mmCIF file of all heavy atoms in Angstrom:
data_model
loop_
_atom_site.group_PDB
_atom_site.id
_atom_site.type_symbol
_atom_site.label_atom_id
_atom_site.label_comp_id
_atom_site.label_asym_id
_atom_site.label_seq_id
_atom_site.Cartn_x
_atom_site.Cartn_y
_atom_site.Cartn_z
ATOM 1 N N ILE A 1 55.568 31.521 -34.170
ATOM 2 C CA ILE A 1 56.022 32.011 -35.463
ATOM 3 C C ILE A 1 54.723 32.256 -36.353
ATOM 4 O O ILE A 1 54.448 33.383 -36.892
ATOM 5 C CB ILE A 1 56.961 31.226 -36.073
ATOM 6 C CG1 ILE A 1 58.259 31.297 -35.354
ATOM 7 C CG2 ILE A 1 57.141 31.749 -37.593
ATOM 8 C CD1 ILE A 1 59.393 30.412 -35.964
ATOM 9 N N VAL A 2 53.932 31.286 -36.422
ATOM 10 C CA VAL A 2 52.791 31.261 -37.291
ATOM 11 C C VAL A 2 51.649 32.366 -36.706
ATOM 12 O O VAL A 2 51.140 33.057 -37.505
ATOM 13 C CB VAL A 2 52.024 29.918 -37.290
ATOM 14 C CG1 VAL A 2 50.766 29.941 -38.135
ATOM 15 C CG2 VAL A 2 53.012 28.929 -37.924
ATOM 16 N N LEU A 3 51.513 32.381 -35.410
ATOM 17 C CA LEU A 3 50.599 33.293 -34.882
ATOM 18 C C LEU A 3 50.996 34.707 -35.159
ATOM 19 O O LEU A 3 50.110 35.612 -35.313
ATOM 20 C CB LEU A 3 50.396 33.092 -33.299
ATOM 21 C CG LEU A 3 49.679 31.766 -32.960
ATOM 22 C CD1 LEU A 3 49.737 31.578 -31.380
ATOM 23 C CD2 LEU A 3 48.219 31.771 -33.414
ATOM 24 N N VAL A 4 52.254 34.998 -35.083
ATOM 25 C CA VAL A 4 52.759 36.429 -35.222
ATOM 26 C C VAL A 4 52.372 36.937 -36.636
ATOM 27 O O VAL A 4 51.861 38.124 -36.802
ATOM 28 C CB VAL A 4 54.278 36.444 -35.080
ATOM 29 C CG1 VAL A 4 54.881 37.737 -35.635
ATOM 30 C CG2 VAL A 4 54.636 36.367 -33.544
ATOM 31 N N PHE A 5 52.445 36.042 -37.722
ATOM 32 C CA PHE A 5 52.163 36.587 -38.994
ATOM 33 C C PHE A 5 50.751 36.307 -39.347
ATOM 34 O O PHE A 5 50.054 36.999 -40.099
ATOM 35 C CB PHE A 5 53.146 35.899 -40.027
ATOM 36 C CG PHE A 5 54.564 36.270 -39.843
ATOM 37 C CD1 PHE A 5 55.392 35.547 -39.138
ATOM 38 C CD2 PHE A 5 54.943 37.539 -40.257
ATOM 39 C CE1 PHE A 5 56.743 36.031 -39.035
ATOM 40 C CE2 PHE A 5 56.216 38.006 -40.079
ATOM 41 C CZ PHE A 5 57.076 37.266 -39.415
ATOM 42 N N SER A 6 50.171 35.074 -39.071
ATOM 43 C CA SER A 6 48.861 34.647 -39.691
ATOM 44 C C SER A 6 47.724 35.331 -39.000
ATOM 45 O O SER A 6 46.643 35.296 -39.561
ATOM 46 C CB SER A 6 48.778 33.090 -39.637
ATOM 47 O OG SER A 6 48.782 32.742 -38.253
ATOM 48 N N THR A 7 47.755 35.835 -37.805
ATOM 49 C CA THR A 7 46.696 36.506 -37.175
ATOM 50 C C THR A 7 46.684 37.948 -37.272
ATOM 51 O O THR A 7 45.754 38.559 -36.543
ATOM 52 C CB THR A 7 46.614 35.990 -35.620
ATOM 53 O OG1 THR A 7 47.888 36.517 -35.083
ATOM 54 C CG2 THR A 7 46.545 34.506 -35.466
ATOM 55 N N ALA A 8 47.480 38.537 -38.009
ATOM 56 C CA ALA A 8 47.537 39.887 -38.231
ATOM 57 C C ALA A 8 46.428 40.372 -39.247
ATOM 58 O O ALA A 8 45.967 39.536 -40.067
ATOM 59 C CB ALA A 8 48.891 40.412 -38.774
ATOM 60 N N ASP A 9 45.989 41.611 -39.092
ATOM 61 C CA ASP A 9 45.068 42.169 -40.163
ATOM 62 C C ASP A 9 45.982 42.782 -41.127
ATOM 63 O O ASP A 9 46.469 43.976 -40.975
ATOM 64 C CB ASP A 9 44.191 43.214 -39.420
ATOM 65 C CG ASP A 9 43.133 43.821 -40.488
ATOM 66 O OD1 ASP A 9 43.269 43.484 -41.587
ATOM 67 O OD2 ASP A 9 42.303 44.737 -40.062
ATOM 68 N N PRO A 10 46.071 42.172 -42.342
ATOM 69 C CA PRO A 10 47.050 42.656 -43.333
ATOM 70 C C PRO A 10 46.707 43.996 -43.911
ATOM 71 O O PRO A 10 47.597 44.656 -44.474
ATOM 72 C CB PRO A 10 46.942 41.581 -44.344
ATOM 73 C CG PRO A 10 45.661 40.952 -44.207
ATOM 74 C CD PRO A 10 45.359 41.031 -42.794
ATOM 75 N N SER A 11 45.392 44.596 -43.740
ATOM 76 C CA SER A 11 45.082 45.817 -44.151
ATOM 77 C C SER A 11 45.625 46.938 -43.264
ATOM 78 O O SER A 11 45.692 48.040 -43.642
ATOM 79 C CB SER A 11 43.555 45.934 -44.246
ATOM 80 O OG SER A 11 43.047 45.810 -43.028
ATOM 81 N N LYS A 12 46.093 46.531 -42.010
ATOM 82 C CA LYS A 12 46.564 47.539 -41.104
ATOM 83 C C LYS A 12 47.988 47.337 -40.588
ATOM 84 O O LYS A 12 48.568 48.215 -40.084
ATOM 85 C CB LYS A 12 45.498 47.619 -39.897
ATOM 86 C CG LYS A 12 44.110 47.990 -40.331
ATOM 87 C CD LYS A 12 43.246 47.989 -39.145
ATOM 88 C CE LYS A 12 41.715 48.206 -39.520
ATOM 89 N NZ LYS A 12 40.824 48.206 -38.404
ATOM 90 N N GLN A 13 48.331 46.091 -40.602
ATOM 91 C CA GLN A 13 49.582 45.720 -39.974
ATOM 92 C C GLN A 13 50.326 44.515 -40.598
ATOM 93 O O GLN A 13 49.665 43.716 -41.298
ATOM 94 C CB GLN A 13 49.309 45.323 -38.411
ATOM 95 C CG GLN A 13 48.298 44.299 -38.310
ATOM 96 C CD GLN A 13 47.751 44.150 -36.840
ATOM 97 O OE1 GLN A 13 46.859 43.400 -36.677
ATOM 98 N NE2 GLN A 13 48.183 44.869 -35.855
ATOM 99 N N LEU A 14 51.683 44.464 -40.258
ATOM 100 C CA LEU A 14 52.455 43.331 -40.845
ATOM 101 C C LEU A 14 52.371 42.170 -39.967
ATOM 102 O O LEU A 14 52.316 41.073 -40.266
ATOM 103 C CB LEU A 14 53.779 43.708 -41.050
ATOM 104 C CG LEU A 14 54.847 42.629 -41.579
ATOM 105 C CD1 LEU A 14 54.302 42.015 -42.811
ATOM 106 C CD2 LEU A 14 56.262 43.163 -41.636
ATOM 107 N N VAL A 15 52.486 42.409 -38.599
ATOM 108 C CA VAL A 15 52.472 41.337 -37.570
ATOM 109 C C VAL A 15 51.289 41.591 -36.696
ATOM 110 O O VAL A 15 50.668 42.658 -36.661
ATOM 111 C CB VAL A 15 53.710 41.357 -36.804
ATOM 112 C CG1 VAL A 15 54.872 40.978 -37.643
ATOM 113 C CG2 VAL A 15 53.974 42.657 -36.095
ATOM 114 N N ALA A 16 50.905 40.523 -36.008
ATOM 115 C CA ALA A 16 49.644 40.636 -35.064
ATOM 116 C C ALA A 16 49.857 41.574 -33.894
ATOM 117 O O ALA A 16 51.031 41.831 -33.527
ATOM 118 C CB ALA A 16 49.230 39.234 -34.665
ATOM 119 N N SER A 17 48.770 42.202 -33.480
ATOM 120 C CA SER A 17 48.743 43.034 -32.391
ATOM 121 C C SER A 17 49.232 42.407 -31.099
ATOM 122 O O SER A 17 49.702 42.966 -30.171
ATOM 123 C CB SER A 17 47.470 43.740 -32.091
ATOM 124 O OG SER A 17 46.294 42.761 -31.970
ATOM 125 N N SER A 18 49.143 40.941 -31.097
ATOM 126 C CA SER A 18 49.620 40.347 -29.974
ATOM 127 C C SER A 18 50.990 39.848 -29.961
ATOM 128 O O SER A 18 51.512 39.276 -29.108
ATOM 129 C CB SER A 18 48.690 38.923 -29.941
ATOM 130 O OG SER A 18 49.042 38.118 -31.072
ATOM 131 N N THR A 19 51.776 40.395 -30.966
ATOM 132 C CA THR A 19 53.253 40.167 -31.153
ATOM 133 C C THR A 19 53.989 40.450 -29.831
ATOM 134 O O THR A 19 54.872 39.690 -29.432
ATOM 135 C CB THR A 19 53.857 40.894 -32.239
ATOM 136 O OG1 THR A 19 53.148 40.394 -33.506
ATOM 137 C CG2 THR A 19 55.268 40.626 -32.492
ATOM 138 N N PRO A 20 53.789 41.633 -29.107
ATOM 139 C CA PRO A 20 54.493 41.891 -27.943
ATOM 140 C C PRO A 20 54.485 40.758 -26.939
ATOM 141 O O PRO A 20 55.340 40.719 -25.991
ATOM 142 C CB PRO A 20 53.987 43.198 -27.488
ATOM 143 C CG PRO A 20 53.399 43.880 -28.610
ATOM 144 C CD PRO A 20 52.854 42.761 -29.528
ATOM 145 N N ILE A 21 53.370 40.053 -26.971
ATOM 146 C CA ILE A 21 53.216 38.883 -25.963
ATOM 147 C C ILE A 21 53.641 37.598 -26.597
ATOM 148 O O ILE A 21 54.464 36.759 -25.968
ATOM 149 C CB ILE A 21 51.734 38.802 -25.535
ATOM 150 C CG1 ILE A 21 51.279 40.130 -24.898
ATOM 151 C CG2 ILE A 21 51.546 37.582 -24.669
ATOM 152 C CD1 ILE A 21 49.791 40.098 -24.456
ATOM 153 N N VAL A 22 53.196 37.401 -27.804
ATOM 154 C CA VAL A 22 53.501 36.030 -28.512
ATOM 155 C C VAL A 22 54.973 35.974 -28.844
ATOM 156 O O VAL A 22 55.541 34.748 -28.539
ATOM 157 C CB VAL A 22 52.561 35.933 -29.769
ATOM 158 C CG1 VAL A 22 52.995 34.578 -30.465
ATOM 159 C CG2 VAL A 22 51.038 35.944 -29.416
ATOM 160 N N ALA A 23 55.601 36.875 -29.183
ATOM 161 C CA ALA A 23 56.930 36.847 -29.652
ATOM 162 C C ALA A 23 58.006 36.453 -28.496
ATOM 163 O O ALA A 23 58.784 35.565 -28.636
ATOM 164 C CB ALA A 23 57.426 38.088 -30.350
ATOM 165 N N PRO A 24 57.901 37.183 -27.366
ATOM 166 C CA PRO A 24 58.670 36.746 -26.212
ATOM 167 C C PRO A 24 58.405 35.404 -25.789
ATOM 168 O O PRO A 24 59.251 34.660 -25.365
ATOM 169 C CB PRO A 24 58.319 37.796 -25.255
ATOM 170 C CG PRO A 24 57.780 39.020 -25.867
ATOM 171 C CD PRO A 24 57.150 38.387 -27.064
ATOM 172 N N LEU A 25 57.129 34.933 -25.862
ATOM 173 C CA LEU A 25 56.761 33.549 -25.482
ATOM 174 C C LEU A 25 57.522 32.550 -26.368
ATOM 175 O O LEU A 25 58.049 31.607 -25.976
ATOM 176 C CB LEU A 25 55.252 33.347 -25.524
ATOM 177 C CG LEU A 25 54.467 33.970 -24.391
ATOM 178 C CD1 LEU A 25 52.988 33.790 -24.632
ATOM 179 C CD2 LEU A 25 54.849 33.448 -23.024
ATOM 180 N N GLY A 26 57.486 32.898 -27.830
ATOM 181 C CA GLY A 26 58.136 32.070 -28.650
ATOM 182 C C GLY A 26 59.706 31.998 -28.460
ATOM 183 O O GLY A 26 60.274 30.921 -28.380
ATOM 184 N N VAL A 27 60.237 33.142 -28.142
ATOM 185 C CA VAL A 27 61.819 33.052 -27.876
ATOM 186 C C VAL A 27 62.043 32.374 -26.592
ATOM 187 O O VAL A 27 62.963 31.553 -26.523
ATOM 188 C CB VAL A 27 62.232 34.657 -27.659
ATOM 189 C CG1 VAL A 27 63.686 34.649 -27.171
ATOM 190 C CG2 VAL A 27 62.038 35.328 -29.041
ATOM 191 N N ALA A 28 61.159 32.444 -25.524
ATOM 192 C CA ALA A 28 61.295 31.804 -24.309
ATOM 193 C C ALA A 28 61.201 30.323 -24.516
ATOM 194 O O ALA A 28 61.956 29.578 -24.051
ATOM 195 C CB ALA A 28 60.296 32.342 -23.273
ATOM 196 N N ALA A 29 60.254 29.932 -25.359
ATOM 197 C CA ALA A 29 60.031 28.437 -25.667
ATOM 198 C C ALA A 29 61.277 27.886 -26.322
ATOM 199 O O ALA A 29 61.787 26.786 -26.102
ATOM 200 C CB ALA A 29 58.827 28.287 -26.524
ATOM 201 N N LEU A 30 61.897 28.690 -27.320
ATOM 202 C CA LEU A 30 63.098 28.274 -28.006
ATOM 203 C C LEU A 30 64.347 28.051 -26.913
ATOM 204 O O LEU A 30 64.916 27.137 -27.177
ATOM 205 C CB LEU A 30 63.510 29.145 -29.106
ATOM 206 C CG LEU A 30 64.623 28.900 -29.935
ATOM 207 C CD1 LEU A 30 64.532 27.582 -30.639
ATOM 208 C CD2 LEU A 30 64.923 29.958 -30.962
ATOM 209 N N VAL A 31 64.407 29.095 -26.110
ATOM 210 C CA VAL A 31 65.462 29.118 -25.157
ATOM 211 C C VAL A 31 65.368 27.911 -24.231
ATOM 212 O O VAL A 31 66.417 27.055 -24.014
ATOM 213 C CB VAL A 31 65.518 30.382 -24.423
ATOM 214 C CG1 VAL A 31 66.536 30.293 -23.243
ATOM 215 C CG2 VAL A 31 65.906 31.595 -25.258
ATOM 216 N N VAL A 32 64.165 27.687 -23.708
ATOM 217 C CA VAL A 32 64.003 26.428 -22.813
ATOM 218 C C VAL A 32 64.097 25.193 -23.543
ATOM 219 O O VAL A 32 64.688 24.160 -22.983
ATOM 220 C CB VAL A 32 62.538 26.574 -22.207
ATOM 221 C CG1 VAL A 32 62.309 25.364 -21.407
ATOM 222 C CG2 VAL A 32 62.422 27.862 -21.350
ATOM 223 N N PHE A 33 63.800 25.248 -24.903
ATOM 224 C CA PHE A 33 63.948 24.012 -25.696
ATOM 225 C C PHE A 33 65.470 23.651 -25.754
ATOM 226 O O PHE A 33 65.922 22.493 -25.615
ATOM 227 C CB PHE A 33 63.322 24.165 -27.037
ATOM 228 C CG PHE A 33 63.702 23.186 -28.028
ATOM 229 C CD1 PHE A 33 63.108 21.858 -27.967
ATOM 230 C CD2 PHE A 33 64.752 23.376 -28.919
ATOM 231 C CE1 PHE A 33 63.487 20.939 -28.906
ATOM 232 C CE2 PHE A 33 65.031 22.371 -29.939
ATOM 233 C CZ PHE A 33 64.380 21.102 -29.895
#
């Protein structure tokens, strides 16, 4: 969650460019949890 928002370049984007990778990983971690 933190990586999706805190590593973005706010002058160009709301969420980080790595969101397509990081977000599914976060969802997967939550499901496995």
Side-chain angles (χ1 to χ4, degrees):
I1 293 178
V2 176
L3 288 174
V4 164
F5 292 103
S6 64
T7 59
D9 182 357
S11 64
K12 301 177 182 178
Q13 54 193 176
L14 176 60
V15 295
S17 55
S18 60
T19 298
I21 298 175
V22 176
L25 288 176
V27 173
L30 180 61
V31 172
V32 176
F33 171 77

